[in-house]
Amino acid sequence: MTLSRIHYAKPSITELEVRYATDAATHGWGERCYEYIDRFEAAFRAHLDVPFAIATSSCTGALHMGMAALGIGPGDEVILGDINWVASAAPITYLGARPVLVDVLADSWCVDPACVEAAITPRTRAILAVHIYGNLCDMDALLDIGRRHGIPVIEDAAEALGSAWGERRAGTRGAFGAFSFHGSKTLTTGEGGLFVCNDESLYRRVLTLSNHGRARGEPRQFWPHEVGFKYKMSNLQAAIGCAQVERIDSLLARKREIFQAYAQALDGLPLAMNPEPAGTRNGYWMPTVVADAGSGFDRDELLRAFAADGIDGRVFFWPLSMTPPFAGAPQPPVSHGLYRRALNLPSYHDMQPDDIARVARHVRAVFAR
């Protein structure tokens, strides 16, 4: 019997998404060209309990505009964790600023607040808190550091939809938050993102930047107040997003179910998975295993076993300090000790119990050797 392929991620698309997208494609033009965008932004404001949201073409664009609106520019520094995808660091470079890569915590894989504080210089203009794989940064510590040094803390919540501290959702505590709706994410618009904040002046600044520098309410047609960007989400994307937001509770719940199934199947092995400290909730975007040091875990062996069985493997993020764009950066010890011992496990909404068991068998087999 030929087993079905197990993808590392894919979206959950139903008749509702198809119906909304069809309506947007058929009728969402002219005076209705912003209809689904407005609905999508309103739905996310309600979900996150924030006053301001702007739908964008990507999380990268949301970070770029937010940092520009904060005045970050040439010669400035922004501190972030060394374990990250380049999309978090890239917008810093777009502005002529320098990403300062520091070590991460061994349990959450998120930026280490003590290393952040040690890296602050007179050129530091922001701290970028990236909530990796749904795991939450220590925002209490980071916000305290930011207050004491007069530095804003930005939240990259691209991977943290559904993660929260009590009633405060990821992306809502910093100077601004940014989300991703890439096709691999818990909620998708195909490509797309969201900028959110609690500050009206920052919101209006980013709103202008998002539309070629044209201020909302400007009576003159095609009149830019400055050179801005083109980071708007399309009405077609937002239509899919509106359907996804209507299903958000079930989408988030299913991610937690999949994680718990993995945790049960892998119980007793010398490894750690995504943490959920007391008082928090993890959205578990990407279930991840990090083998104990000295356990003999061979990541490449597991990837080969996955490939032979039609299972997509996904490596843990490389330390950015290892990659060519950041050559010469210091190599923090914790981040450089993590990536070879870690792997993301497949996670998508229609995974079946047999799929999860099939993945888990390979993980257990590698530890048994």
Side-chain angles (χ1 to χ4, degrees), residues 62-323:
L63 288 170
H64 186 189
M65 292 188 296
M67 291 180 189
L70 291 177
I72 295 170
D76 294 335
E77 297 175 347
V78 177
I79 302 171
L80 71 159
D82 189 34
I83 292 285
N84 269 308
W85 172 227
V86 70
S88 297
I92 301 167
T93 71
Y94 299 166
L95 296 165
R98 184 171 76 92
V100 176
L101 305 174
V102 301
D103 216 344
V104 299
L105 295 168
D107 55 353
S108 70
W109 326 317
C110 295
V111 67
D112 184 337
C115 294
V116 168
E117 187 148 30
I120 291 174
T121 74
R123 294 181 297 279
T124 304
R125 290 296 304 275
I127 299 164
L128 180 58
V130 186
H131 303 304
I132 294 289
Y133 303 138
N135 306 343
L136 290 166
C137 293
D138 186 347
M139 286 297 291
D140 288 339
L142 294 175
L143 288 169
D144 177 65
I145 292 168
R147 280 190 293 267
R148 287 189 284 105
H149 292 273
I151 301 167
V153 180
I154 299 163
E155 288 185 77
D156 181 340
E159 303 172 11
L161 188 69
S163 299
W165 306 264
E167 298 301 314
R168 296 295 302 276
R169 296 188 181 275
T172 67
R173 298 182 64 186
F176 71 85
F179 291 84
S180 170
F181 305 123
H182 179 266
S184 67
K185 297 300 192 291
T186 301
L187 183 151
T188 189
T189 57
E191 287 282 1
L194 192 76
F195 169 93
V196 301
C197 70
N198 297 292
D199 182 328
E200 184 174 3
S201 62
L202 182 63
Y203 161 72
R204 294 195 177 282
R205 178 90 178 93
V206 173
L207 190 64
T208 297
L209 287 173
S210 72
N211 192 21
H212 288 304
R214 294 186 292 181
R216 181 169 290 185
E218 167 58 55
R220 290 166 290 189
Q221 192 175 25
F222 302 125
W223 184 270
H225 287 253
E226 60 186 305
V227 175
F229 308 108
K230 182 62 171 178
Y231 281 139
K232 291 167 59 180
M233 178 182 284
S234 76
N235 205 44
L236 283 166
Q237 291 173 296
I240 296 173
C242 285
Q244 294 266 286
V245 176
E246 289 183 22
R247 302 173 52 222
I248 194 166
D249 290 340
S250 64
L251 293 173
L252 293 173
R254 182 61 185 139
K255 280 289 189 176
R256 290 181 61 82
E257 289 172 1
I258 292 168
F259 179 87
Q260 296 301 337
Y262 273 128
Q264 183 176 353
L266 301 176
D267 186 45
L269 294 179
L271 57 79
M273 295 187 70
N274 310 58
E276 188 175 62
T280 71
R281 186 175 182 85
N282 196 317
Y284 295 134
W285 168 60
M286 193 63 68
T288 303
V289 294
V290 177
D292 294 350
S295 65
F297 173 78
D298 188 327
R299 182 192 69 174
D300 293 336
E301 180 185 353
L302 181 54
L303 287 170
R304 287 192 295 270
F306 278 178
D309 194 19
I311 299 170
D312 288 345
R314 179 183 150 122
V315 301
F316 196 85
F317 288 138
W318 302 93
L320 288 177
S321 59
M322 288 183 64
T323 64

Side-chain angles (χ1 to χ4, degrees), residues 51-66:
F52 306 110
I54 301 172
T56 63
S57 57
S58 67
C59 182
T60 303
L63 288 170
H64 186 189
M65 292 188 296

